[in-house]
Amino acid sequence: MEKELLMCFGSQLKKLRKEKGLTQQNMADMMGTTMRNYQRYEYGMINVTATTLNFFADFFGVTTDYLLGRGE
């Protein structure tokens, strides 16, 4: 179940990033992290903290439920 949730989150994140025309490096730079660390979010390799989840939701103008695959 956890892996499915992480994969869903990563898929939503990638979709939103591409819709904005941003690269993984752009996102990493905005977050103050490495591209490899950012990629781990998109690939569903690491859990996202509440702070980071809120950052993504605010940045993309969506709900946290949407990012987690729980809403439209």
Side-chain angles (χ1 to χ4, degrees):
M1 176 74 171
E2 181 179 328
K3 186 65 175 170
E4 291 172 14
L5 181 62
L6 291 175
M7 293 303 294
C8 181
F9 169 75
S11 177
Q12 295 290 74
L13 187 60
K14 182 177 181 178
K15 180 181 138 222
L16 291 167
R17 174 182 60 79
K18 287 188 169 202
E19 285 175 1
K20 282 205 178 249
L22 299 169
T23 66
Q24 291 177 334
Q25 187 63 59
N26 295 145
M27 292 300 297
D29 291 345
M30 280 189 283
M31 296 176 70
T33 191
T34 64
M35 186 172 75
R36 182 67 187 132
N37 192 60
Y38 174 79
Q39 287 173 329
R40 289 182 177 119
Y41 291 120
E42 283 195 9
Y43 299 155
M45 296 172 68
I46 57 173
N47 266 322
V48 61
T49 66
T51 303
T52 302
L53 182 63
N54 282 320
F55 166 81
F56 287 134
D58 290 345
F59 179 78
F60 290 113
V62 298
T63 65
T64 55
D65 276 348
Y66 177 82
L67 284 170
L68 297 172
R70 295 178 171 205
E72 293 300 317

